Amino acid sequence: MAVDGTSERDWHRWHDDYTDPTSPLSRRLATVQARIREVLDAAAPGPVRVVSVCAGQGRDLLDVLAAHPRRADVTARLVELDPRNARIAVDAARVAGLSGVEVVVGDAAAVDRYAGLVPADLVLVCGVFGNITDEDVRRTVGYCAQLCTTGGTVVWTRHRREPDLVPRICQWFAAEGFEPGWLSPPEAGFGVGTHRFTGTPRPLDRRGRMFTFVDG
């Protein structure tokens, strides 16, 4: 889980905290993985499409798929700008034998990157909302109605620092035709949420851009 765009932050080293099981980032990853596992467990028989926005090293999805009984049903596209992170994701998918996983090196904010695989059954927007403006969070939630199929699920993350944007994010999802699924409690120290799309997917704006992120 990482963020693409112009930034001075080293998004490869950002992943180092995953090696510490007591770190907030590691605990958030485990929570995201649990939500992904639940979505796959409940998925109807047949193909399952997944897209991951700013996929980083793909740990959230790939670690789950490697041991999941539905792994052969999943076709996934992970979009990540940092070639070092993308290379790790490619290697992890290869080692796990996940032939249905495609890793794209590119700007994950560009909607066109997801053409051909959306609307998807599972959309991952993890490690994004905490690194962009509130306006761009709202815009990205709107684009999720293009990326997600009817009945599909978005898994997203956001820090709980003040001002806590999580309640507003939930409202924005509701305004776009999503119903709440699961939300981590405030005392967890991080925000992980799931929303299920109940509307009709909107046409893909292939020239659209979801966000530009900022250092912080």
Side-chain angles (χ1 to χ4, degrees), residues 33-45 48 64 68-70:
Q33 289 175 337
R35 306 287 79 77
I36 293 173
R37 195 172 292 111
E38 288 173 354
V39 172
L40 295 178
D41 288 346
V48 179
V64 174
H68 200 277
R70 296 297 302 276

Side-chain angles (χ1 to χ4, degrees), residues 1-4 51-56 77-80 108-109 114 123-128 140 144 147 210-211:
M1 296 180 286
V3 181
D4 295 341
V51 296
S52 180
V53 179
C54 297
R77 181 177 300 162
L78 284 60
V79 184
E80 166 64 28
Y114 308 95
V123 176
L124 304 178
V125 191
C126 300
V128 177
T140 302
C144 285
L147 301 179
M210 292 184 279
F211 53 81

Side-chain angles (χ1 to χ4, degrees), residues 3 9 127-133 137 157-159 161 214 216:
V3 181
R9 182 175 298 182
V128 177
F129 289 167
N131 297 279
I132 61 180
T133 65
V137 173
T157 65
R158 164 77 185 201
H159 62 74
R161 298 190 297 272
V214 296

Side-chain angles (χ1 to χ4, degrees), residues 16-199:
D16 290 349
D17 279 354
Y18 282 135
T19 61
D20 178 2
T22 66
S23 72
L25 192 61
S26 180
R27 291 187 287 109
R28 190 189 77 177
L29 173 62
T31 303
V32 169
Q33 289 175 337
R35 306 287 79 77
I36 293 173
R37 195 172 292 111
E38 288 173 354
V39 172
L40 295 178
D41 288 346
V48 179
R49 291 185 169 194
V50 182
V51 296
S52 180
V53 179
C54 297
Q57 297 174 2
R59 301 187 188 201
D60 45 8
L61 178 64
L62 299 180
D63 288 357
V64 174
L65 282 184
H68 200 277
R70 296 297 302 276
R71 51 179 283 156
D73 295 328
V74 173
T75 300
R77 181 177 300 162
L78 284 60
V79 184
E80 166 64 28
L81 187 63
D82 190 313
R84 299 167 299 172
N85 288 332
R87 192 176 308 115
I88 291 173
V90 169
D91 290 345
R94 176 183 52 79
V95 169
L98 299 172
S99 59
V101 172
E102 171 191 18
V103 179
V104 174
V105 179
D107 184 359
V111 178
D112 188 57
R113 298 289 182 180
Y114 308 95
L117 202 62
V118 295
D121 303 286
L122 175 60
V123 176
L124 304 178
V125 191
C126 300
V128 177
F129 289 167
N131 297 279
I132 61 180
T133 65
D134 293 0
E135 180 182 359
D136 277 359
V137 173
R138 178 67 182 90
R139 180 181 296 107
T140 302
V141 169
Y143 273 108
C144 285
Q146 298 182 21
L147 301 179
C148 200
T149 193
T150 303
T153 299
V154 177
V155 179
W156 55 272
T157 65
R158 164 77 185 201
H159 62 74
R160 300 304 298 258
R161 298 190 297 272
E162 293 296 337
D164 186 0
L165 194 65
V166 167
R168 293 183 65 192
I169 292 173
C170 292
Q171 293 173 357
W172 292 336
F173 270 109
E176 297 295 341
F178 289 84
E179 63 180 21
W182 187 91
L183 184 65
S184 59
E187 58 268 23
F190 52 80
V192 175
T194 69
H195 276 81
R196 181 177 178 272
F197 188 48
T198 60

